[in-house]
Amino acid sequence: MGMMEQLTDILLSDAGVTVIKAMIVYFAVLMTVPVMVYVERRGAGLIQDRLGPNRVGPLGLIQPFADMVKLMFKEEFVPFKANRLLYLLAPALALIPAGMTFAVIPFGTEMTIGGITIPLRAADLNVGILYIFALTSLGVYGIMMAGWSSNNKFSLMGGLRSAAQMISYELSMTLAAVGVVMAAGSLRLGDIVEAQTPFWFCVPLALGFLVFLVASFAETNRLPFDMPEAENELVGGYHTEYSSMRFASFFMAEYINMCVSAGLTVTLFLGGYRFPFQELVSNPMLLSILQVAAFVGKVAFLMWFFVWIRWTLPRFRYDQLMKLGWKVLFPLALANVFITGLLILLGVI
C-alpha cells in the first residue's frame, strides 16, 4: 500500500503530470501519421476521381497498418561505401526533433481534474516560438546527412536541394512570425493566442499569414515544393537508398512536421484554441473540452488543406522555387514587418 501511495504521489507531482502530458501529446501526434496516410490516399482518390484504398478493412481503414507491417518486414541494408554512422543517424535526426516540437504548442488554457489544475500543453516556455524554430531547423541536417552519406548522386542532389530550399524559406517564415511577436508583445505561445482578440491575427496580418502558410509547404517538403524527393527527377531524392523502418522514419517525420506546421499556423494566426463567443461558456470543464476541440478542428482543416494542395498543383521547377522564395516571399515578409509596426503605431493592433 505504501508503494502505491508513493507511486500516486509521483504521478500527481508537477514532474509526473508533465511527463504524462508529454507522453499523451507525443502519442497523439504520432497517431496523426496513420490517419493522414489514409486521408492522403483517399483524398487523392477523391480529387483524381478514383476510389483509393478500399480493400484492407472496411473502406480501406486498415491500409495504413498493412503498410506499416510491410515496411517492418522489408530488407534493411547499408549501401556500399556509405558513411555507416551518418547513414544510420540521419533517420533519427529527422524524426526526433519533429516529435519534440509540438511540446510547447498550447491546445487549451487549463483543465481541473480531481482538484489538480493541469495546463493544456506539454511544456510552457516563455520563448516557445524560438524553441520551435530551433528544433525545426534541425530537420535539414537529417536530410542532408541522408543525402551525403548514402554514396548516391541522386540522394546527394536531394540533400543539396533540401538545404537550399529549407534555409531560403526559413527566413521568410521567421520574418512572418516576427510580425506576430510584435503584435502580441511576447514569445510565449499562450500569450500570442490570448492576444488574438477581438480578431485572429490572420485578419490584420493577412500578408504575414499568407507568407507563413506558403513557407510551411516548403519547410515540410510538400508539393508543390517537394524538390528534395522529386521522384521523376531524382528517383526518391535523399531517401533513395533507405528502406524498411529507416525509410518509414523519414515518411513519419514528414507527416509529423506537417502536423507541427499546421499547429503552429493555427496558434500564430488562427486564434489557437480560441473559438467565437467562448466567453459565454461558464462551465470550466466544458470550456476546456471545447477549446481542445476547436484547436483540433482547425489543425485538421489545415492538414486537409496540405493534402488538397498536393494533389491539385504541379511541382515547381527548381529555379521557380528559389525565385519565389527570394524575390517574392522574402520581400513580402519584410514588408509585413513594416506594416505590422505601422498598425501598432496607429493602434489598430
Side-chain angles (χ1 to χ4, degrees), residues 227-307:
M227 285 297 168
E229 301 172 21
E231 292 88 347
N232 57 345
E233 302 170 28
L234 302 178
V235 185
Y238 63 92
H239 57 60
T240 298
E241 298 292 347
Y242 284 88
S243 66
S244 190
M245 293 307 293
R246 293 174 191 150
F247 166 77
S249 297
F250 288 111
F251 193 70
M252 292 166 63
E254 178 178 320
Y255 281 106
I256 293 175
N257 282 326
M258 189 168 72
C259 181
V260 171
S261 293
L264 187 58
T265 304
V266 166
T267 301
L268 296 183
F269 293 98
L270 298 178
Y273 49 78
R274 296 183 64 85
F275 57 92
F277 308 110
Q278 74 170 31
E279 293 79 10
L280 302 178
V281 181
S282 57
N283 187 309
M285 179 61 73
L286 178 60
L287 176 61
S288 299
I289 294 172
L290 290 177
Q291 285 178 339
V292 174
F295 178 80
V296 171
K298 294 174 187 178
V299 171
F301 172 78
L302 272 185
M303 293 184 74
W304 164 249
F305 185 70
F306 273 87
V307 173

Side-chain angles (χ1 to χ4, degrees), residues 159-182:
L160 292 173
R161 283 182 171 187
S162 176
Q165 173 178 322
M166 295 179 77
I167 291 171
S168 300
Y169 282 84
E170 269 181 11
L171 292 172
S172 300
M173 175 181 276
T174 305
L175 281 174
V178 166
V180 173
V181 172
M182 291 169 60

Side-chain angles (χ1 to χ4, degrees), residues 110-277:
E110 58 186 24
M111 181 179 290
T112 302
I113 301 176
I116 301 174
T117 301
I118 304 172
L120 293 177
R121 67 211 71 182
D124 189 11
L125 301 182
N126 57 0
V127 288
I129 194 168
L130 295 182
Y131 169 86
I132 288 179
F133 284 130
L135 278 181
T136 52
S137 64
L138 293 177
V140 67
Y141 291 102
I143 294 176
M144 288 177 62
M145 286 167 54
W148 181 82
S149 64
S150 296
N151 190 33
N152 181 304
K153 289 183 174 61
F154 292 115
S155 299
L156 179 60
M157 284 291 293
L160 292 173
R161 283 182 171 187
S162 176
Q165 173 178 322
M166 295 179 77
I167 291 171
S168 300
Y169 282 84
E170 269 181 11
L171 292 172
S172 300
M173 175 181 276
T174 305
L175 281 174
V178 166
V180 173
V181 172
M182 291 169 60
S186 175
L187 293 169
R188 185 172 170 269
L189 293 176
D191 293 341
I192 291 173
V193 173
E194 293 299 329
Q196 298 185 54
T197 178
F199 300 109
W200 296 346
F201 282 156
C202 64
V203 177
L205 305 180
L207 181 60
F209 173 57
L210 177 63
V211 171
F212 193 91
L213 188 61
V214 174
S216 297
F217 280 89
E219 285 294 292
T220 53
N221 299 328
R222 300 279 299 180
L223 267 164
F225 298 95
D226 68 332
M227 285 297 168
E229 301 172 21
E231 292 88 347
N232 57 345
E233 302 170 28
L234 302 178
V235 185
Y238 63 92
H239 57 60
T240 298
E241 298 292 347
Y242 284 88
S243 66
S244 190
M245 293 307 293
R246 293 174 191 150
F247 166 77
S249 297
F250 288 111
F251 193 70
M252 292 166 63
E254 178 178 320
Y255 281 106
I256 293 175
N257 282 326
M258 189 168 72
C259 181
V260 171
S261 293
L264 187 58
T265 304
V266 166
T267 301
L268 296 183
F269 293 98
L270 298 178
Y273 49 78
R274 296 183 64 85
F275 57 92
F277 308 110

